[in-house]
Amino acid sequence: METIVRETLISAITDYSTLMEDIHLFHHWVVVKAGRYEMSTCFSATPGLTENPRDTWLGDLIGRKAAEIAQEYLASTDVLRIAVGMACLKCVIPPVPEFTVSSAIDPFSEQTKTRPTCFIGHFHDAEMWRDEGRPVSIVELLPRPGDIRWDDSHGVLSRAKLVFMTGLTLVNGTFGEVICRTPNATTRVIMGPTVPLTPSLFKLGLHRLGTSRIMDVNKTLRYFGMGGGSIMHAPQGALQKINITRPDSPKLFDDRSGAAEVNLKGSE
């Protein structure tokens, strides 16, 4: 994780006393309880990150301060510990007072029909829109057929007006480079269960943040425990996609999502 990203995230911490109460480790996910339940994606190791399947015992974290765990583990290169650090961080930053219930992608559907759009990471909507012939490109470290390799993405990223990135960019050292490669972007969106919903991230050049929150702990843990790897296919009511927009951002998106695109109080 880049220093500026880590320092920005740590600066959002306001709760330095809450203790780690529980931790659940799954193949794709980490769920912790420190005052409240929060989750993060457990990514596979990519260049610059490490993974050690023989070093996964984290039971000693129970009873430690979640803020201290976040500060320590966000400086790690181990993907499991980074995921735990991000989940702990989400427990000790202030809940946002208002948010929108929807996927962070949904409101931009109409714009992607005409505006050059890049996705950093392979999203279902991105592939669908690209296959429809929209000016949508997908940039990947490990590209699938039709994707653009990260090392070859300078041109397409420099032309992009809309940029969507996965939460992996926060932890794998590519975030700053994405910002540098997208000087003409009018909107940058970062989304995924790893993303902490903190306005502090807006200072880094982002306009919209999307994440998933746990609504039903038992349903979520059961789904993850049975190998569930997709938010899309989680049991109804288990998880909820929410997002926030930078206050000074122009209204750059349409209202396609209708009734779901409403502001709600964060405490609800």
Side-chain angles (χ1 to χ4, degrees), residues 9 12 74 86-87 89-90 93 96 167 170 190 192-201 209-211 244:
L9 293 174
L74 291 185
M86 291 294 269
L89 176 85
K90 292 164 76 174
I93 60 177
V96 291
L170 289 176
I190 193 165
T194 298
V195 177
L197 225 58
T198 171
S200 296
L201 286 173
L209 315 175
T211 195
I244 59 174

Side-chain angles (χ1 to χ4, degrees), residues 164-195:
F164 300 89
M165 60 190 90
T166 174
L168 175 61
T169 60
L170 289 176
V171 305
N172 70 357
T174 60
F175 179 84
E177 186 64 21
V178 172
I179 300 300
C180 290
R181 293 188 190 185
T182 57
N184 294 307
T186 56
T187 303
R188 298 188 189 94
V189 181
I190 193 165
M191 55 200 166
T194 298
V195 177

Side-chain angles (χ1 to χ4, degrees), residues 53-96:
R54 294 182 297 277
D55 184 22
T56 60
W57 168 251
L58 296 178
D60 293 338
L61 297 181
I62 304 301
R64 285 188 55 188
K65 293 180 179 179
E68 293 180 354
I69 297 170
Q71 290 172 315
E72 176 184 346
Y73 279 13
L74 291 185
S76 175
T77 61
D78 177 73
V79 290
L80 174 60
R81 283 158 178 78
I82 293 173
V84 171
M86 291 294 269
C88 286
L89 176 85
K90 292 164 76 174
C91 290
V92 293
I93 60 177
V96 291

Side-chain angles (χ1 to χ4, degrees), residues 212-267:
S212 295
R213 66 171 181 165
I214 297 173
M215 301 297 290
D216 187 310
V217 173
N218 291 332
K219 284 185 178 181
T220 298
L221 294 180
R222 179 170 174 79
Y223 174 62
F224 290 169
M226 296 178 72
S230 170
I231 299 296
M232 181 187 306
H233 300 300
Q236 185 174 3
L239 300 165
Q240 184 182 60
K241 292 182 179 181
I242 60 176
N243 56 78
I244 59 174
T245 302
R246 199 170 78 185
D248 61 348
S249 296
K251 186 174 174 58
L252 295 172
F253 43 88
D254 69 282
D255 293 318
R256 188 192 72 165
S257 50
E261 184 70 13
V262 294
N263 289 326
L264 299 176
K265 295 296 182 182
S267 59

